[in-house]
Amino acid sequence: MLLTPCEDADDAGVLAYASSQATEAAFGAAFLLLQPSLTHYGRTGRTGFDRTTYIYPSRLVGASTEEMQRRVGRIVRELADLRHQLRKALGIGSDPRTTPRGWRGQIVRFSEAVRSQIDVAYGLIVTEPSYSSKERYQLVVPILDLQDYEQSELDVVVEGKAWLHALFGDPTPVALAIEMIQTVYHPTDVEAAALAIVDAETAARVDHRIAELFDL
């Protein structure tokens, strides 16, 4: 399900994963449950689903406009609930210190398979603390070297932080690429975890930019 606007041909959007399975809901992931038999809008359209479906804003994926073939439905009455679940999944404003085993705010190195696919080595976990502690699907914001990357308006640029020096060993500024937010599967896609923890100021800036991206 598309969560961000895609108006131009070269736009990229962020989508939430949809499944008929309750697997991640059982692990505590944020979700919206749609039941097509109860969810219809008369002449204004339908959801596009033909069976009971779990929308998981706790699993996000990016896609270009050209990869989206056509619109098959939409939600109307459930939109407020979806936004609530999205905010919950992202843990915006939460304090990871309240969940000792939570991974939110931690920087990880991706597996070789992920690195070769997205050409990024590190990411910041932004999954809400409780579900992140289950080490299932993690929402991550890629960390990019500004020397090799054209900065976007929503990016959070960081320099001079102790965790940045500890991670990279040099003062090169980096960008937390908010619009590239995506999902990795902790057991196979995270090669090294807890490499560093971002500072509170950077975490707050990331939360603010993510809220802007999804208009939360």
Side-chain angles (χ1 to χ4, degrees), residues 151-193:
Q151 184 182 344
S152 175
E153 182 180 349
L154 288 178
D155 289 346
V156 173
V157 175
V158 183
E159 56 184 323
K161 299 292 185 180
W163 61 265
L164 189 59
H165 180 76
L167 191 63
F168 298 108
D170 61 56
T172 301
V174 300
L176 292 162
I178 303 300
E179 291 171 291
M180 290 178 63
I181 188 170
Q182 57 195 275
T183 304
V184 296
Y185 187 53
H186 200 122
T188 58
D189 296 340
V190 174
E191 180 179 272

Side-chain angles (χ1 to χ4, degrees), residues 15 63-72:
L15 299 97
S64 63
T65 301
E66 63 182 14
E67 293 177 294
M68 305 176 202
Q69 297 181 354
R70 62 188 177 90
R71 191 183 79 173
V72 296

